[in-house]
Amino acid sequence: MSAGASGNGDSQNVGQLPLTGQNSPLNQHAFLHRQIQGEQRTHFAAEIVAVHNRNSMTKPCTVDIRPVLSDVDGLGQAQKPDVIYGVPVPRNQSGDSVIINDPNVGDRAHFSVFDRDHSSAQASDWKSGNPGSFRRSTLSDAVFHAVLPREAQEVKQYVRMDENGVDIRQRDGHTIAMTKDGVNINGAVFDKDGNITTPGNMTAGKGTADQVDLQGHAHGTSGPPTPGT
C-alpha cells in the first residue's frame, strides 16, 4: 500500500508530493489532505513583544506576539513570522470576581486559534454579531491561553499548592504559609483555635499618643505584669 494511504504521511513534508507512487489516487488524495491540514492552525507558541492595559481594572488586556517557530518552505528556507497585534488575554473571572495576573513582555506563551474571525466581536466588547471577515482558523484569530514556564525565567513570587498546604511568597520576602498547624504570616502563627504566637513584638496604635507594646507595656505604676498572671 502507498505511504500516504497507510497513515505514514506524517513523515512527508507538507507541500511536497512523495516521489513514489505519484500517480496513485490514494497518494494524491493524501497529499491534498495534508495541504488542507497544513493551512488549519489550532495552537502555537509565541513570544509576547508588547502588552496593553496590563493588570488594568477597567480595560481588557491584549498582547502583540511573534510566533517562535519560523515559516519554512519546501526547500527548508526559513522566514521570520510577522507580529500579530491585539491578541485578547483571558482572565480567571466569574461575574465581578477576578484574579489578575496578566503576562509580561518577553513571556513565551501558548495560544489557541478561534475558527472564525472574532475581530468584530472583540471590538464591540464581545457582543453577538457577524464575523469580521470570511477568514477561518488563522493566526490573526489567536487568543492567549497560558504562559510557558522556562528555566531561564526566574520565579520570584508565587502561589503554590501541594500536599502540605498553600504557600504564598512575595518577591520582597514576605510569606504566607497555610498548613494543618495554622497560618504563618512572616513568622506570626495563627493556629486553628485562634491562638497567636509571634517571634517579634506586637504594637497597638503605633504612632499615636496611646501606643501600646505587648512586650513592654506597664500596668499603671506597677511595672510589667508577672508572667502567668
Side-chain angles (χ1 to χ4, degrees):
M1 184 177 290
S2 65
S6 66
N8 296 325
D10 288 344
S11 62
Q12 302 292 341
N13 293 328
V14 173
Q16 301 297 308
L17 187 66
L19 296 178
T20 59
Q22 292 186 13
N23 295 326
S24 165
L26 292 177
N27 269 349
Q28 292 173 357
H29 291 163
F31 171 74
L32 292 175
H33 183 65
R34 288 196 303 273
Q35 290 291 88
I36 295 172
Q37 278 189 316
E39 296 296 326
Q40 302 300 307
R41 304 305 301 265
T42 55
H43 305 278
F44 66 99
E47 176 186 0
I48 296 175
V49 298
V51 181
H52 309 283
N53 304 322
R54 184 175 188 272
N55 293 341
S56 171
M57 298 290 289
T58 57
K59 298 291 186 180
C61 178
T62 63
V63 291
D64 302 338
I65 62 175
R66 188 189 299 275
V68 298
L69 296 182
S70 299
D71 295 325
V72 181
D73 62 19
L75 298 177
Q77 297 175 332
Q79 180 179 2
K80 193 173 183 179
D82 294 329
V83 173
I84 303 169
Y85 297 95
V87 175
V89 176
R91 289 173 173 170
N92 188 341
Q93 182 168 351
S94 176
D96 58 4
S97 303
V98 63
I99 296 174
I100 300 176
N101 183 27
D102 294 331
N104 271 311
V105 171
D107 285 342
R108 271 62 167 183
H110 169 246
F111 293 84
S112 300
V113 179
F114 289 153
D115 63 346
R116 298 292 190 277
D117 179 359
H118 65 270
S119 58
S120 58
Q122 183 178 353
S124 65
D125 202 23
W126 298 105
K127 293 182 175 64
S128 299
N130 297 328
S133 70
F134 291 110
R135 70 186 183 211
R136 299 177 63 177
S137 300
T138 65
L139 296 185
S140 297
D141 295 313
V143 60
F144 173 86
H145 187 260
V147 169
L148 298 170
R150 295 186 298 146
E151 291 185 8
Q153 196 167 24
E154 181 184 0
V155 175
K156 296 183 178 180
Q157 61 183 11
Y158 57 81
V159 177
R160 180 174 60 191
M161 288 169 277
D162 56 26
E163 63 277 3
N164 296 317
V166 180
D167 184 16
I168 302 173
R169 183 173 297 272
Q170 191 258 354
R171 61 167 53 90
D172 294 321
H174 302 294
T175 62
I176 300 176
M178 289 170 274
T179 68
K180 64 179 181 179
D181 297 323
V183 179
N184 186 318
I185 304 177
N186 288 343
V189 178
F190 300 73
D191 70 16
K192 59 183 177 59
D193 297 319
N195 301 307
I196 304 174
T197 58
T198 173
N201 190 23
M202 297 180 66
T203 303
K206 186 173 183 178
T208 64
D210 59 349
Q211 174 176 315
V212 177
D213 293 336
L214 184 61
Q215 288 181 305
H217 78 284
H219 288 191
T221 58
S222 63
T226 301
T229 65

